[in-house]
Amino acid sequence: MELLQLHYFRTVARLEHMTKAAQELRIAQPALSKTISRLEEDLGVPLFDRQGRQIRLNMFGQAFLKKVETALTALEEGRREVADMAGMERGSIYVATPTLHRLSEPLGAFLALHPNVNFRITQASLEEMSRLMENGDVDFCFTAVPIEGAGIHQLPVLKEEVFLAVPPGHRLASRKSVSLSEVAHDPFVGYKESYPFRKMNDEFCLQAGFKPNVVCEVDEPSAISSLVQAGLGVAFVGACKTDKKSPLIKLDIESPVCQRTYQLAWHEKRYLSKAAKKFREFVVKYFTDMQQGAGAPAVLQEVAASQATNKKNPAV
């Protein structure tokens, strides 16, 4: 039994589709099919039920997959732990998040201090983040929606106020605040249903006694801003006091209370490299400084000092 066979089997088991698995693995489908067949011969049992071109993981495959996940996770943690012994600057950090909107600035600041650290960022839904965390495929998840699961530790790092953005010329545009029920019949620009914020925003409306009429669905905050300014509808937008001035007309929501709390989550039983632990400390400090009204000056001053040192001494 070869390690490559296990990697191939895990991908086929996840997708339950030989062609899609071959495309993801970037190998020829006949070669993949032959590898899986050889693995089944070694085990002495079929791992999939086959009906024409359809395949489904059977009870043998389900039992074997659990052990394969455990084995591959342990091997990956072992590889990273050995690499970690070489020092902080050789570390790798894997992060899953529904959006980079709030994470991009601290991420850039951290990389300015530690340019040799390797990042892998995955945009994922809430369900995908839970699976990635459980399988040990990521170090952290960064989200405003809690992730369910045993052993998952979640650390609140940033509280964000949620405002109602309205187009120029809207009947409420001259107001400073609004009750959400006042826009019960307005068209909304919102996130796609698979997006974590969509469920949260819909809940705000339900608390106000209505279901939002979402006329356009997007997956990035920048798209919402553009569409609201174009007059397509109103929308929920998050903002912190240190954010740069936005052209959007944003109204305080008097009722119900609309807030988001971003959290950094990790699995307590998974190995975290020195680089990952350093990143966790950095993110906490970054957002703590931000919420104290300083705009994260402490970490940014550290970045500036590091860059100045590197210019004086390129070998550093």
Side-chain angles (χ1 to χ4, degrees):
M1 191 179 301
E2 301 174 1
L3 184 60
L4 192 61
Q5 287 179 311
L6 302 183
H7 280 290
Y8 285 1
F9 165 71
R10 181 168 65 172
T11 302
V12 175
R14 173 167 54 84
L15 298 174
E16 292 189 324
H17 197 287
M18 200 65 73
T19 301
K20 291 181 180 178
Q23 291 173 344
E24 182 172 310
L25 293 166
R26 298 183 180 181
I27 64 171
Q29 183 179 329
L32 178 59
S33 298
K34 187 174 182 180
T35 299
I36 297 301
S37 295
R38 190 183 307 120
L39 177 61
E40 291 176 318
E41 290 174 8
D42 290 343
L43 294 171
V45 294
L47 299 172
F48 297 90
D49 290 332
R50 296 168 173 84
Q51 293 182 347
R53 302 181 69 178
Q54 300 292 320
I55 62 171
R56 292 289 182 271
L57 199 64
N58 61 26
M59 63 177 185
F60 299 118
Q62 292 171 2
F64 187 60
L65 179 61
K66 292 180 181 178
K67 300 301 181 183
V68 169
E69 293 282 13
T70 299
L72 292 179
T73 297
L75 288 171
E76 174 61 17
E77 289 181 352
R79 182 194 67 77
R80 293 176 61 194
E81 187 169 356
V82 169
D84 198 28
M85 294 172 66
M88 160 73 192
E89 297 304 329
R90 290 180 177 271
S92 296
I93 303 171
Y94 305 149
V95 182
T97 179
T99 177
L100 288 171
H101 175 55
R102 286 294 175 202
L103 193 59
S104 57
E105 288 189 4
L107 183 64
F110 183 83
L111 281 171
L113 287 173
H114 309 286
N116 294 322
V117 170
N118 296 310
F119 270 93
R120 186 178 72 191
I121 311 295
T122 300
Q123 282 195 280
S125 66
L126 187 61
E127 292 75 15
E128 289 171 331
M129 286 190 290
S130 180
R131 177 181 58 80
L132 291 168
M133 187 76 73
E134 182 62 32
N135 292 343
D137 293 330
V138 296
D139 296 310
F140 301 109
C141 288
F142 182 76
T143 175
V145 182
I147 300 174
E148 302 294 333
I152 295 178
H153 185 85
Q154 301 180 88
L155 178 66
V157 294
L158 175 66
K159 181 172 287 187
E160 178 185 73
E161 297 295 328
V162 178
F163 299 85
L164 182 73
V166 300
H170 189 274
R171 69 183 188 281
L172 301 173
S174 61
R175 298 261 297 272
K176 291 185 177 181
S177 63
V178 64
S179 292
L180 198 54
S181 58
E182 294 181 67
V183 291
H185 302 294
D186 281 57
F188 272 76
V189 177
Y191 292 103
K192 294 178 180 178
E193 289 192 1
S194 60
Y195 199 84
F197 287 161
R198 174 63 179 271
K199 182 178 180 181
M200 184 179 294
N201 292 344
D202 285 353
E203 183 61 31
F204 292 151
C205 293
L206 289 175
Q207 290 178 34
F210 69 94
K211 182 178 180 180
N213 174 28
V214 180
V215 298
C216 185
E217 297 179 327
V218 303
D219 54 13
E220 275 300 324
S222 59
I224 286 183
S225 177
S226 298
L227 292 171
V228 170
Q229 290 183 76
L232 198 63
V234 302
F236 291 106
V237 294
C240 297
K241 58 185 177 182
T242 55
D243 287 348
K244 296 177 181 178
K245 189 173 181 179
S246 167
L248 284 174
I249 301 172
K250 295 182 292 186
L251 310 179
D252 290 328
I253 300 174
E254 296 174 352
S255 65
V257 175
C258 297
Q259 293 180 334
R260 298 172 185 152
T261 300
Y262 285 87
Q263 302 168 81
L264 194 66
W266 65 93
H267 202 294
E268 294 178 334
K269 293 184 179 180
R270 304 301 182 198
Y271 173 77
L272 289 179
S273 68
K274 290 180 181 178
K277 291 177 181 177
K278 185 71 174 179
F279 178 69
R280 180 175 61 192
E281 294 173 4
F282 183 90
V283 168
V284 171
K285 180 171 176 51
Y286 185 98
F287 286 124
T288 298
D289 287 348
M290 173 187 288
Q291 291 174 105
Q292 289 176 348
V299 291
L300 294 184
Q301 286 175 9
E302 186 180 352
V303 170
S306 175
Q307 291 174 335
T309 300
N310 290 341
K311 285 182 180 180
K312 292 179 180 178
N313 184 9
V316 175

